[in-house]
């Protein structure tokens, strides 16, 4: 306001100005114009604009425009913005200067700042003005964050792009690739370098967000969505969800921890941030809105999950973050990631609060650290139209947390041009059409078919898929070499009826096995997709180990082929089932099952009754009805061709299974009730990693032989099974009631990162602890009750079967993971029941877990 009269004079004709100069009016220098990103051409908000050698400064608005006017003859003006190289322009003093500024991305990594006075001064928090300022930010966090309002509404525009870069020149110049060169983007800038890249995925979304503080409720309405993707051969429905988690679903600088790249990073303004970061005041900037202080920070230990970067902090009494830049160093304990850059910009709203205006996350990954083909992704989110304390009718907040508007995926080009909050680059505008053209090419269709077969496990032949290819061959000591051929139908066959099955043959037992399942989908969705709503009728004849059906993890198939100890207990199973499965959008689900199960002992396993004649029972038949309940609040899933995987979060998962056996129904031999439950939860402990905790329990009522008791899940393979007892033998323990606790903690390298000589290896520490406490009532123990099957007896190094006694079974392990970014080795110790046949106290287990 003070400068506006001078600015008005600066706009007058030169003759008028000259006349006023003759009256000793001071000279006024003015600059105005637009600042944009050099590569994308996007306007840059909040860029600092300063006359060199003065205290006068301003900043660009939300669309990149600026005006700076001050008394004096200034000949240079500097433009500065975090993450970009500063630009200084020569201007004409005493005149109005129109400028168009293009800023280049800066790739300079933060260096540790040291204050030198004769000798190097040791860094300390005490008396450090930067730490005192950070403490003020921490003390004002609650009043600055968006959720401090009772009611909040805002719009959100989000776009995610994924590209391959550093493609081999031999590939690009090859005859094979010549027909696909139209897909290349030669304008993309990655880590400050212009790269030739291959865009493979691009997505845009428009949301409206509503928040109520008390009682807490958040609602997101998806108004529009547009997506294109050439990596559909990676059959993972929910890829967009995973990329959002990978590139920061909701980055809140005011949270103590920021979840990104599947890990928790400690925020530089977390409550205990000064214990993990070093802070330095590196600049002060005078803007038309007041003074800002630039605070730089670096991690105390470079291997920890910490950021390095800068904060721009207001000095208006709010101590709010106006902008921040978060990067990581090369030594951080994350695999395959070459760089991570986060830029957050905030805008001041009435009342003094600074609300998030823009979030921009860029990260690139590669198998090799500094060379070779990489994957670059960027997620940009723009927030607008904030409205505070304007409550909607109460019934609105009773709606679903995630809602989708009608025709959200059918909005036309005109709609997007009107509502898109950011401009697309020329390459992004052309990408939708280019990928459409690519997908119509016969050669690309063939490549996609080969890739989807290898990654998804099924060969697609339209209405029928053959597979899974991973089950074509196997070997065990009963079947010998096993050959299997299977397949299933797709929605192209029928959207409501799905068929699935296999046939297998063993060369040693010379028996054919088979399975046939028919799904009747009520929501016309394949049974391996969410949400399920189907009836299933199936019949199966196959072989398996007793109790193995309780083991969940089958990902270590190669390691599982090698066994410790001697085990030759097998079952031939004939199972007829009718299932009804129903999923709800809130991730509550239930299934109702009718099951007729015939078990026949095989290998050295015998069903021998404990009567005077030691009668051998040929087979055992049971008929039961089951009810399964599952609730996974706020669950996000990644769906594949054969199963779906939960993307772990802080929310628990509840499971309850109730089965009742009917004696006399379809040859059912026993009447019983079997109730089991478990609760799983991942606890995130910031810099100390995370803990996976499972609490489980079971109660079985009724008199039944040991094949129907609870067979504790064991693991005799060399592969580590997180859901089994890794020093327990197959069929070693049975019970009719138990409670258990499984804990696995990952420190994410917190301690190993600080040990000289091995810190650069990026190993990670694991601790595991499992305890199982239960027992077997006398009525189900063949030593005390008649008309039961004898427990198998251990001999010649083979294990026997025992009732779980009053002493809990306990095992614990110490592991080192991320060896060569793949391998984990665990040393497991078993603490009791060491007198059982074939038992050793210690064992070594391996697992292959490539992860970030």
């Amino acid at each position: 306001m003070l400068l506006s009269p001078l600015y008005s004079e600066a706009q007058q004709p030169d003759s008028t100005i000259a006349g006023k100069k003759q009256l000793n009016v001071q000279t006024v220098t003015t600059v105005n114009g637009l600042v944009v990103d050099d590569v994308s051409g996007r306007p840059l908000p909040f860029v600092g604009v300063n006359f060199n050698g003065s205290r006068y400064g301003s900043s660009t608005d939300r669309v990149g425009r600026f005006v700076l006017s001050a008394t004096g003859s200034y000949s240079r003006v500097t433009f500065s913005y975090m993450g970009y190289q500063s630009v200084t322009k020569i201007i004409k003093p005493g005149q109005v200067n129109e400028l168009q500024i293009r800023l280049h991305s800066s790739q300079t990594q933060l260096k540790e700042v040291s204050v030198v006075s004769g000798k190097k001064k040791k860094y300390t928090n005490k008396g450090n003005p930067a730490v005192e300022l950070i403490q003020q930010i921490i003390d004002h966090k609650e009043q600055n964050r968006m959720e401090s309002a009772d009611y909040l509404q805002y719009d959100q525009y989000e776009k995610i792009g994924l590209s391959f870069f550093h493609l081999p020149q031999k590939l690009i110049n090859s005859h094979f690739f010549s027909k696909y060169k139209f897909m290349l983007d030669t304008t993309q800038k990655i880590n400050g370098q212009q790269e030739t890249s291959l865009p493979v995925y691009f997505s845009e979304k428009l949301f409206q967000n509503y928040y109520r503080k008390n009682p807490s409720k958040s609602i997101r309405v998806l108004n529009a969505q547009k997506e294109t993707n050439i990596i559909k051969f990676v059959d993972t429905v929910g890829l967009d969800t995973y990329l959002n988690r990978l590139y920061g679903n909701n980055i809140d600088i005011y949270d103590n921890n920021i979840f990104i790249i599947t890990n928790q990073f400690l925020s530089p303004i977390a409550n205990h941030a000064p214990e993990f970061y070093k802070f330095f005041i590196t600049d002060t900037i005078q803007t038309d809105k007041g003074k800002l202080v630039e605070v730089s920070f670096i991690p105390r230990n470079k291997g920890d999950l910490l950021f390095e970067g800068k904060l721009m902090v207001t000095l208006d009494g709010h101590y709010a973050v106006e902008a921040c830049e978060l990067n990581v160093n090369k030594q951080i304990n994350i695999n395959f990631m070459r760089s991570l850059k986060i830029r957050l910009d905030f805008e001041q709203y009435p009342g003094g609060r600074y609300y998030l205006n823009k979030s921009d996350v860029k990260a690139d990954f590669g198998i090799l650290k500094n060379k070779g083909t990489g994957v670059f992704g960027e997620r940009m989110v723009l927030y607008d139209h904030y409205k505070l304390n304007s409550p909607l009718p109460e019934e609105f907040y009773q709606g679903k947390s995630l809602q989708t508007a009608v025709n959200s995926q059918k909005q036309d080009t005109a709609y997007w041009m009107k509502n898109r909050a950011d401009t697309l680059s020329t390459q992004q505008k052309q990408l939708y059409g280019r990928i459409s053209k690519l997908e119509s090419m016969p050669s690309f269709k063939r490549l996609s078919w080969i890739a989807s077969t290898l990654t998804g496990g099924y060969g697609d032949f339209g209405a029928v898929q053959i597979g899974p290819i991973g089950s074509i061959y196997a070997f065990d000591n009963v079947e010998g070499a096993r050959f299997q051929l299977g397949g299933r139908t797709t929605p192209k066959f029928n959207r409501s009826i799905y068929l699935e099955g296999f046939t297998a043959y063993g060369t040693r037992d010379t028996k054919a096995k088979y399975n046939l399942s028919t799904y009747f989908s009520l929501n016309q969705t394949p049974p391996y997709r969410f949400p399920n709503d189907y009836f299933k009728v199936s019949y199966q004849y196959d072989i398996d180990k007793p109790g193995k059906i309780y083991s969940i993890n089958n990902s270590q198939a190669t390691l599982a082929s090698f066994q410790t100890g001697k085990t030759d207990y097998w079952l031939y199973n004939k199972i007829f089932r009718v299932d009804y499965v129903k999923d709800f959008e809130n991730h509550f689900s239930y299934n109702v099952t009718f099951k007729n199960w015939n078990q026949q002992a095989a290998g050295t396993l015998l069903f021998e009754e404990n009567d005077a004649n030691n009668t051998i029972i040929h087979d055992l038949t049971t008929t039961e009805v089951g009810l399964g309940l599952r609730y996974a609040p706020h669950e996000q899933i990644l769906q594949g061709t054969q199963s779906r995987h939960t993307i772990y979060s802080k929310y628990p998962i509840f499971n309850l299974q109730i089965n009742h056996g009917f004696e006399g129904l379809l040859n059912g031999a026993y009447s019983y009730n079997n109730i089991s439950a478990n609760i799983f939860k991942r606890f995130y402990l910031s810099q100390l990693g995370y803990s996976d905790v499972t609490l489980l329990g079971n109660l079985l009522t009724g008199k039944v032989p040991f094949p129907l008791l609870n067979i504790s899940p064991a693991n005799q393979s060399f592969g580590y099974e997180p859901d089994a007892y890794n020093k327990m033998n197959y069929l070693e323990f049975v019970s009719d009631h138990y409670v258990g606790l499984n804990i696995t903690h990952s420190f994410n390298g917190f301690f190993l990162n600080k040990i000289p000589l091995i810190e650069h290896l990026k190993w990670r520490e694991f601790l595991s602890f499992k305890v199982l406490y239960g027992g077997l009532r006398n009525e189900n123990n063949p030593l005390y009750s008649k008309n039961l099957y004898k427990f198998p007896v251990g001999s010649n190094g083979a294990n026997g079967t025992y009732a779980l006694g009053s002493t809990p079974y306990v095992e614990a392990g110490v592991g080192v993971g991320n060896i060569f970014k793949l391998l984990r080795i665990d040393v497991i110790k078993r603490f009791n029941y060491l007198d059982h046949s074939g038992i050793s106290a210690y064992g070594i287990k391996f697992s292959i877990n490539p992860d970030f």
Side-chain angles (χ1 to χ4, degrees), residues 667-805:
N667 297 320
Y670 294 92
S671 177
Y672 56 87
N673 295 295
N674 197 340
I675 304 172
S676 59
N678 68 71
I679 304 173
F680 169 86
K681 179 173 171 56
R682 172 166 286 187
F683 294 88
Y684 290 98
L685 304 177
S686 187
Q687 293 301 289
L688 292 178
Y690 62 86
S691 290
D692 287 337
V693 179
T694 304
L695 179 65
L696 56 155
N698 177 272
L699 174 64
L700 186 149
T701 63
K703 182 176 180 179
V704 294
F706 77 83
L708 302 181
L709 294 173
N710 299 311
I711 301 174
S712 301
N715 175 33
Q716 288 183 243
S717 75
F718 281 109
Y720 179 81
E721 291 273 5
D723 299 295
Y725 300 97
N726 286 280
K727 281 302 296 173
M728 185 184 291
N729 287 336
Y730 296 123
L731 198 55
E732 182 179 357
F733 286 103
V734 292
S735 62
D736 55 22
H737 60 279
Y738 68 78
V739 292
L741 178 66
N742 296 346
I743 302 174
T744 299
H745 184 82
S746 170
F747 285 100
N748 277 333
F750 182 78
F751 297 106
L752 294 178
N753 287 341
K754 299 172 178 62
I755 299 177
L757 301 181
I758 68 169
E759 58 184 344
H760 67 282
L761 298 176
K762 298 184 179 181
W763 289 351
R764 300 170 186 171
E765 322 88 336
F766 293 87
L767 296 178
S768 62
F769 175 78
K770 298 179 182 180
V771 57
L772 185 66
Y773 177 74
L776 185 66
R777 300 189 306 275
N778 285 344
E779 67 173 318
N780 286 321
N781 192 328
L783 297 178
Y784 302 98
S785 182
K786 295 296 184 182
N787 300 318
L788 294 173
Y789 299 173
K790 292 181 180 180
F791 289 161
V793 178
S795 60
N796 298 323
N799 60 284
T801 299
Y802 306 86
L804 187 62

Side-chain angles (χ1 to χ4, degrees), residues 191-464:
N191 294 331
Q193 302 293 326
Q194 194 159 311
E195 301 279 0
T196 296
S197 63
L198 175 64
V200 295
Y201 178 85
F202 188 69
S203 168
E204 295 181 275
K205 292 181 181 178
L206 285 169
F207 292 98
Q208 285 180 302
N209 296 274
Y210 303 87
Y211 169 77
R212 182 183 64 188
K213 187 175 183 179
N214 190 22
S216 179
K217 183 62 180 284
S218 295
I219 295 176
R220 301 184 76 196
V221 180
L222 177 62
N223 288 324
Q225 180 177 7
K226 196 174 184 180
E227 179 185 87
T228 188
N229 177 15
I230 69 172
I231 53 174
K232 293 177 182 176
F233 57 81
V234 181
D235 188 2
T236 50
V237 175
L239 178 63
D240 181 77
T241 299
Y242 184 75
L243 289 176
N244 269 277
R245 283 288 297 271
L246 192 65
Y247 285 89
N249 201 19
N250 290 297
I251 299 179
D252 185 356
I253 190 66
Y254 291 107
D255 269 346
N256 283 331
N257 295 284
I258 297 173
F259 197 96
I260 192 169
I261 316 295
T262 71
N263 287 283
Q264 268 195 342
F265 285 72
L266 187 71
S267 169
I269 56 173
N271 293 343
H272 51 292
E275 300 171 19
F276 294 90
Y277 286 102
K278 295 180 181 180
F279 295 97
F280 310 91
I281 293 178
T282 49
D283 200 1
T284 57
I285 300 173
Q286 181 69 42
T287 72
D288 57 349
K289 297 179 182 178
K291 183 180 289 187
L292 298 176
V293 176
E294 180 184 271
V295 182
S296 298
F297 54 88
I298 59 174
R300 290 176 180 265
N301 185 280
K302 293 185 177 181
D304 291 342
L305 295 178
L306 300 168
F307 296 110
E308 61 182 25
K310 300 176 183 178
L311 300 169
M312 301 297 292
V313 185
T314 67
L315 292 182
D316 56 0
H318 292 284
Y319 296 99
V321 177
E322 194 213 41
C324 70
E325 181 181 322
L326 309 175
N327 306 315
V328 296
N329 65 80
K330 296 291 186 181
Q331 299 178 37
I332 194 168
N333 194 341
I334 295 182
N335 293 329
F336 313 117
M337 188 177 70
R338 294 170 175 171
S339 69
L340 170 65
K341 301 182 185 301
I342 304 171
R343 168 78 192 204
L344 304 179
D345 292 303
F346 298 78
E347 183 178 1
Q348 190 176 23
Y349 274 74
R353 282 198 187 95
Y354 283 80
Y355 284 171
L356 184 61
N357 169 58
K358 178 180 177 181
S359 169
D360 190 11
V361 180
K362 301 175 183 178
D364 69 283
F365 305 89
I367 300 297
L368 302 178
K369 186 175 182 180
N370 296 313
K371 61 181 180 179
T373 301
V375 179
F376 175 79
E378 179 177 12
R379 179 178 186 266
M380 178 183 292
V381 185
L382 297 177
Y383 304 86
D384 204 352
H385 301 130
Y386 282 99
K387 186 184 292 186
L388 275 69
N389 297 323
S390 298
L392 295 172
E394 182 64 27
E395 55 268 19
F396 173 80
Y397 297 99
Q398 306 303 318
K400 298 176 182 178
S401 295
L402 180 59
Q403 303 176 21
T404 303
V406 178
N407 296 326
S408 63
Q409 297 192 25
K410 298 180 180 179
Q411 302 293 358
D412 58 16
T413 302
Y415 174 90
W416 281 101
M417 290 185 66
K418 179 181 178 182
N419 293 279
R420 183 183 283 125
D422 188 34
T423 56
L424 299 183
S425 67
T426 302
Q427 295 292 331
Q428 289 171 338
K429 291 177 182 177
Q430 296 174 348
L431 188 58
Y432 291 110
R434 288 180 175 180
I435 289 184
S436 178
K437 174 184 176 181
L438 180 70
E439 290 178 332
S440 65
M441 298 172 62
S443 59
F444 180 75
K445 291 180 180 179
R446 288 192 296 270
L447 285 174
S448 296
W449 187 90
I450 295 172
S452 64
T453 302
L454 295 176
T455 58
Y458 283 89
D460 194 340
F461 295 92
V464 177

